[in-house]
Amino acid sequence: MKTLKHNLTWILASGLMAINAQAATVNAICSTDQSWCEMAAQAFTKATGVTVLQTRKATGEALAQIRAEAANPKTDIWWGGTGDPFLQAAEMGLLAPYRPAYINDLYGWSVRQYAMSENKVGGFYTSAIGFGWNTELLKKKNLPAPKCWSDLLKPIYKGEIETSHPASSGTAYTILAGLVQLMGEEAAFDYMKKLNANVTQYTRSGTAQAPNVAKGEVAVGVSFIFGFDLWKHNKYPVQSGAPCEGTSYEIGGIALIKGARNAEAAKQYYDWLMSPEGQKIGGLSGSLQFPANKTFKPDPRIPSLDDVRLIKYDFEKYGKAAERKRLLDRWNKEVGAQAR
């Protein structure tokens, strides 16, 4: 193991020195939490001298941009955010294949993403969908904490729930596709139409719910559990939980863009992001998703999935562009059209 790590360190160091000598630049889109995006870019530049020109976009918006730029790519690497849009980008021929030499350092769920996408998408981290709630607001309004999907339909939560919009947010698409798989499509859409009556707003990004709940702007949020847990650890009146019936989960993506102008620099950034040094940035920045690299001890604040009832999420089916479009079209027609 030491020899493998030594060789990997030497390979990375040699490549980084070569790129640094050329004063390289890498153009990136990051779709995870803003804090992780910024800290990772800064740490990579400090370690290598490679300039990172990076924007933060929700996965749906990132996919739209990369698709629009397909004939003349301006992005070299895309990382973080829910994996379904990454798989759709792979299916559209927008991504370049890359199977890293350190594949055995990654968890099986990460490696399966490579196999599923012909090595065009790697699994960057994982996390589960759940609820977060502001304990002070619920107490003030004499409301119980939701424990199940069915609870969210109760009239007592009218105007108290916030979630994100599936057309722009990968988080929301994970919720949508998960409910379809958990309940069956007809029952899931019937559920979402009823839920709409209790939703106060659908945000563009799935990262908005945790801060909005923590600051008391909304009582209940539906998003990834890890986001709420950060605010809880920071002493805000926030608690979280997974729905009793079962829930969907994400495998965050990482990918190189086909036809990238700075392909070698992009590979170096990719390798660094997947290394223990890069993956540790998540916890350091307050992003508490479970990392793909298994060769280091992750942040102890990262929520365990041991007690979460995960559905058998079909990433291959729901990661396809046609299926995503079909579900989004139906959601927009039957649910979004009712949204305020």
Side-chain angles (χ1 to χ4, degrees):
M1 189 67 182
K2 288 184 178 179
T3 301
L4 175 62
K5 289 184 178 179
H6 174 79
N7 290 342
L8 177 57
T9 301
W10 184 86
I11 292 169
L12 286 172
S14 299
L16 293 173
M17 285 188 291
I19 287 177
N20 191 34
Q22 300 171 20
T25 298
V26 60
N27 296 301
I29 294 177
C30 176
S31 296
T32 189
D33 291 343
Q34 183 74 38
S35 57
W36 193 349
C37 297
E38 293 177 356
M39 192 177 288
Q42 292 167 3
F44 177 71
T45 296
K46 184 177 180 180
T48 67
V50 178
T51 300
V52 180
L53 301 178
Q54 183 170 270
T55 57
R56 197 275 167 194
K57 288 183 179 289
T59 48
E61 295 175 325
L63 175 59
Q65 177 180 325
I66 292 168
R67 189 176 186 182
E69 296 174 353
N72 184 23
K74 297 178 176 63
T75 304
D76 303 312
I77 180 174
W78 176 25
W79 66 278
T82 51
D84 288 331
F86 283 82
L87 295 173
Q88 290 146 25
E91 184 191 1
M92 294 174 188
L94 302 174
L95 308 179
Y98 182 57
R99 189 173 181 85
Y102 46 86
I103 195 91
N104 291 334
D105 288 348
L106 309 178
Y107 283 102
W109 49 262
S110 173
V111 176
R112 284 192 290 275
Q113 297 298 93
Y114 287 97
M116 191 183 303
S117 64
E118 298 180 330
N119 295 319
K120 294 175 183 175
V121 179
F124 190 66
Y125 54 57
T126 189
S127 54
I129 291 290
F131 313 141
W133 56 89
N134 185 296
T135 56
E136 292 180 355
L137 265 183
L138 291 189
K139 183 177 180 181
K140 181 180 178 181
K141 297 184 176 188
N142 197 29
L143 295 173
K147 297 184 182 301
C148 305
W149 289 113
S150 58
D151 291 340
L152 299 186
L153 299 186
K154 295 176 180 178
I156 57 173
Y157 291 112
K158 185 175 180 61
E160 305 291 352
I161 298 170
E162 181 185 287
T163 187
S164 46
H165 197 294
S168 59
S169 167
T171 301
Y173 180 73
T174 301
I175 296 169
L176 165 59
L179 289 172
V180 167
Q181 293 170 80
L182 175 68
M183 302 177 178
E185 186 167 331
E186 297 308 315
F189 272 89
D190 182 60
Y191 173 86
M192 288 183 285
K193 284 183 278 188
K194 291 177 181 176
L195 177 64
N196 182 67
N198 288 348
V199 172
T200 180
Q201 70 168 331
Y202 296 94
T203 62
R204 288 178 61 192
S205 172
T207 62
Q209 284 65 54
N212 290 348
V213 166
K215 296 172 184 177
E217 295 174 11
V218 67
V220 178
V222 184
S223 185
F224 286 109
I225 296 172
F226 74 86
F228 300 111
D229 280 22
L230 171 65
W231 293 87
K232 177 177 69 176
H233 287 298
N234 287 340
K235 309 303 181 185
Y236 281 79
V238 176
Q239 290 294 329
S240 64
C244 68
E245 301 96 335
T247 192
S248 53
Y249 63 101
E250 71 166 330
I251 295 179
I254 183 168
L256 300 173
I257 307 304
K258 184 178 180 180
R261 300 175 185 179
N262 306 292
E264 290 306 312
K267 286 181 183 178
Q268 297 297 335
Y269 192 28
Y270 185 117
D271 289 339
W272 184 87
L273 287 166
M274 292 293 274
S275 73
E277 290 71 24
Q279 297 252 292
K280 283 177 184 175
I281 297 292
L284 292 173
S285 67
S287 286
L288 303 182
Q289 301 96 321
F290 197 89
N293 192 303
K294 61 184 179 182
T295 65
F296 74 102
K297 188 175 181 180
D299 191 299
R301 298 173 299 167
I302 293 174
S304 170
L305 297 180
D306 291 347
D307 297 326
V308 177
R309 188 176 180 181
L310 298 174
I311 67 170
K312 190 175 181 180
Y313 195 100
D314 189 340
F315 289 96
E316 189 165 9
K317 177 179 179 179
Y318 293 94
K320 290 191 181 301
E323 184 66 5
R324 178 178 184 271
K325 182 180 185 304
R326 187 185 70 81
L327 288 177
L328 289 182
D329 286 347
R330 183 172 183 183
W331 190 92
N332 283 324
K333 180 180 179 181
E334 298 185 19
V335 184
Q338 303 177 35
R340 292 160 302 286

